[in-house]
Amino acid sequence: MRYKAIKYFAICALSFLPFSAFAQQQDEAAELKQFREAIDKTVDDYTEQFGLEVWQTFYVDSILTHDYEAMRQELKDMQAAKMSNADAYTRVQDKWYEQMYNSIQKVLDEEQWAKYLKSGAAREKKARDKRAAKRK
């Protein structure tokens, strides 16, 4: 009797695995869709706000897509490793935001760069630099 109960429980547990995996895939697909929409919105905002040319829009989109995905993956790996140090998460974000800041600077002309800095990038850069100095 006990063997039948264990076997029944195992069959029930295994039968729910596909549903769980399917739900997890849907969650991940929804997350990726939101992620892509957020990048698209940012690129559209930058294009309109800074008057980007087509080639600049392409580069900004490529930069944001690559760097945000790399940051997202690094944070996800840290979360999977069950890291609980908030400073470590902030350090990773700062690293990737600094990378984006430097990459975008190479794409924008002087006037666009000045607008970019005024839009909040200068304030964010100052905060990153302050955190970096505090860590040293």
Side-chain angles (χ1 to χ4, degrees):
M1 183 69 179
R2 188 165 185 232
Y3 174 72
K4 285 185 179 181
I6 292 172
K7 186 177 175 183
Y8 177 74
F9 177 74
I11 290 172
C12 287
L14 289 174
S15 67
F16 286 113
L17 274 177
F19 295 116
S20 174
F22 179 71
Q24 188 175 11
Q25 285 176 342
Q26 281 187 322
D27 289 346
E28 192 170 319
E31 180 184 325
L32 288 174
K33 184 179 177 190
Q34 280 183 319
F35 174 72
R36 185 68 239 175
E37 288 171 353
I39 290 174
D40 289 344
K41 183 178 178 348
T42 302
V43 170
D44 290 344
D45 290 347
Y46 284 3
T47 300
E48 186 177 319
Q49 196 173 8
F50 310 132
L52 300 182
E53 295 182 28
V54 174
W55 69 271
Q56 290 173 310
T57 301
F58 172 79
Y59 278 113
V60 168
D61 181 63
S62 297
I63 290 164
L64 295 180
T65 299
H66 173 269
D67 291 351
Y68 274 123
E69 177 57 32
M71 179 173 62
R72 189 177 78 83
Q73 190 60 50
E74 195 168 340
L75 292 171
K76 199 173 184 181
D77 291 346
M78 290 171 67
Q79 187 177 21
K82 306 233 189 283
M83 290 186 70
S84 60
N85 183 350
D87 189 49
Y89 286 90
T90 303
R91 199 173 314 125
V92 167
Q93 289 175 329
D94 284 351
K95 175 182 87 172
W96 286 106
Y97 284 129
E98 186 68 20
Q99 173 73 28
M100 287 180 251
Y101 177 89
N102 292 327
S103 298
I104 289 173
Q105 183 178 15
K106 295 174 185 175
V107 174
L108 303 180
D109 64 28
E110 288 181 31
E111 183 181 323
Q112 292 166 330
W113 182 247
K115 288 179 183 178
Y116 178 74
L117 291 175
K118 284 182 184 177
S119 73
R123 181 177 57 249
E124 293 168 5
K125 169 73 169 148
K126 186 176 179 182
R128 280 194 308 277
D129 290 346
K130 188 176 180 180
R131 284 190 297 270
K134 193 176 183 180
R135 282 191 286 267
K136 289 183 180 184

